């Protein structure tokens, strides 16, 4: 099969031909239709996350079709449409797994980081972590649901019932979570890079009541803030923007250092927290609400062989919405 392989951090992915993977017990062999390009892929490639398996096929927003099932698989059949997310394995026995927090499992494995991912024509995945994907949308359109959507949704849940919601960084995750939040009747305050007119127009199209640069103050205090941009200085900024009792949720896996800030910004029972990974329950819940909210994703499709171009576009902030690699012909 054709695959894009990371051999060493801080190098380009290598376009290569590998032996097709074979499904082991409990695994599905999936013909990849589309795989989203996530900022986490950049962190893996840039060596910002510890201990990736190398070489590795990146990609953890996989949508495809089951072409073979391993022994012992009952939940899926050949021909099913599935999604393969970031969470690829958990131990089931640690304290986190036993208390509904498998996202924090000490022995978790992650797609495209410690398990080969979806920048390839085929992948294998443990069927217990695969998600059933709805019909009526293309693989390319669905791919960003698998991480941008899921992690965004988990971050939104951590905001509780916040009515006035700030979103910092308006990329792939934000453009989905804004639609869910709008569907839930929340008010959205979108912060982009200063001067990013296209990003601000995009946020307004998706229902934001207010848009501005990340250097601007919102017109009134917010109830919660979701920080998607990997920029540590946004944390004290968001604390400044929220009301007493509000929460700042950091949704990325990696962020630049958070600068020192006065305790007064945290005072008033404000919270700062991160969101790590996802649980299978998040996946099922998100897919349900995404259908009810009639989520439409804005994607730029790239052929699989152009993965390095897609990563570059993401790094340069040149995309509106999400980048997706596809094995189908790109129009
Ligand atoms: Zn565990
Ligand atoms: Zn991701």
């Amino acid at each position: 099969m054709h695959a894009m392989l990371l051999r060493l951090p801080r190098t380009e992915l290598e376009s290569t031909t590998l032996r097709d993977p074979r499904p082991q017990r409990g695994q599905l062999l999936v013909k990849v239709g589309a795989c989203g390009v996530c900022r986490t892929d950049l962190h893996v490639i840039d060596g910002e996350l510890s201990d990736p398996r190398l070489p590795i096929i990146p990609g953890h927003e996989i949508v495809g079709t089951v072409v073979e099932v391993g022994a012992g698989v009952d939940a899926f059949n050949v021909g099913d449409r599935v999604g393969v997310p970031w969470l690829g394995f958990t131990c089931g026995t640690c304290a986190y797994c036993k208390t509904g927090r498998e996202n924090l499992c000490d022995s978790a494995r992650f797609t495209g980081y410690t398990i080969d991912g979806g920048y390839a024509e085929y992948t294998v995945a443990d069927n217990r972590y695969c998600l059933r994907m709805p019909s009526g949308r293309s693989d390319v359109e669905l791919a960003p649901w698998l991480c941008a959507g899921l992690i965004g949704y988990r971050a939104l849940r951590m905001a509780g019932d916040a009515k006035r919601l700030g979103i910092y960084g308006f990329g792939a995750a934000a453009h989905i979570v804004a639609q869910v939040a709008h569907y839930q009747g929340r008010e959205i305050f979108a912060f982009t890079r200063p001067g990013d007119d296209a990003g601000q127009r995009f946020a307004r199209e998706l229902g934001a009541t207010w848009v501005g640069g990340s250097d601007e103050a919102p017109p009134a205090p917010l109830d919660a803030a979701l920080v998607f941009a990997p920029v540590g200085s946004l944390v004290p900024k968001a604390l400044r923007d929220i009301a007493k009792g509000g929460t700042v949720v950091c949704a990325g896996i990696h962020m630049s250092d958070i600068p020192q800030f006065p305790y007064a910004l945290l005072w008033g029972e404000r919270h700062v927290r991160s969101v790590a990974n996802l649980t299978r329950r998040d996946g099922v819940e998100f897919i349900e609400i995404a259908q009810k909210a009639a989520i439409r994703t804005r994607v730029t499709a790239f052929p699989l062989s152009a993965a390095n171009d897609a990563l570059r576009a993401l790094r340069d902030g040149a995309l509106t919405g999400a980048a997706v690699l596809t094995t189908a012909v790109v129009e």
Side-chain angles (χ1 to χ4, degrees), residues 1-272:
M1 67 173 183
H2 178 211
M4 299 299 289
L5 194 66
L6 177 70
R7 289 198 182 276
L8 284 173
R10 293 173 291 280
T11 62
E12 294 246 299
L13 303 184
E14 180 188 313
S15 178
T16 188
T17 303
L18 301 174
R19 200 188 306 250
D20 289 356
R22 302 287 312 140
Q24 305 298 308
R25 186 173 182 81
Q27 287 185 326
L28 307 178
L29 176 63
V30 177
K31 184 176 190 334
V32 178
C35 183
V37 176
C38 175
R39 185 163 294 280
T40 298
D41 302 338
L42 281 181
H43 295 316
V44 171
I45 291 163
D46 291 346
E48 288 167 333
L49 305 184
S50 58
D51 303 320
R53 209 204 71 205
L54 291 171
I56 186 88
I57 301 171
H60 56 269
E61 298 184 292
I62 304 167
V63 179
T65 308
V66 177
V67 288
E68 195 179 332
V69 298
V73 174
D74 298 320
F76 293 96
N77 293 303
V78 169
D80 286 350
R81 189 184 219 190
V82 290
V84 184
W86 170 248
L87 187 74
F89 174 83
T90 56
C91 75
T93 57
C94 74
Y96 296 110
C97 282
K98 283 186 159 165
T99 51
R101 295 179 294 165
E102 64 180 358
N103 59 309
L104 302 177
C105 173
D106 287 327
S107 311
R109 285 185 227 142
F110 301 107
T111 312
Y113 178 36
T114 53
I115 306 172
D116 275 332
Y119 288 18
E121 288 177 292
Y122 292 91
T123 193
V124 286
D126 186 328
N127 84 98
R128 295 171 300 169
Y129 299 87
C130 293
L131 294 161
R132 214 167 271 289
M133 300 305 288
S135 55
R137 290 174 174 80
S138 68
D139 290 347
V140 167
E141 199 193 335
L142 284 173
W145 287 26
L146 271 303
C147 180
L150 291 184
I151 301 283
Y153 172 71
R154 187 174 175 84
L156 181 62
R157 260 206 358 235
M158 300 306 167
D161 55 7
K163 171 90 175 129
R164 302 160 64 83
L165 185 74
I167 297 182
Y168 297 69
F170 212 84
H175 99 285
I176 297 177
V177 83
Q179 295 176 62
V180 176
H182 190 251
Y183 166 77
Q184 292 173 330
R186 304 180 198 242
E187 278 179 70
I188 299 150
F189 297 76
F191 298 83
T192 69
R193 288 179 220 223
D196 179 5
D197 296 337
Q200 295 185 4
R201 249 195 325 272
F202 186 43
R204 202 168 268 127
E205 276 169 37
L206 294 176
T209 15
W210 178 90
V211 298
S214 57
D215 54 347
E216 293 176 52
L222 308 174
D223 298 317
L226 310 184
V227 181
F228 290 109
V231 181
S233 59
L234 288 174
V235 173
K237 166 61 169 63
L239 276 170
R240 235 173 225 117
D241 293 344
I242 60 170
K244 284 182 282 191
T247 302
V248 175
V249 184
C250 304
I253 194 169
H254 177 84
M255 190 180 247
S256 57
D257 285 353
I258 300 170
Q260 199 174 25
F261 59 86
Y263 178 59
L265 291 186
L266 189 62
W267 173 248
E269 300 196 344
R270 291 174 178 86
H271 308 248
V272 177

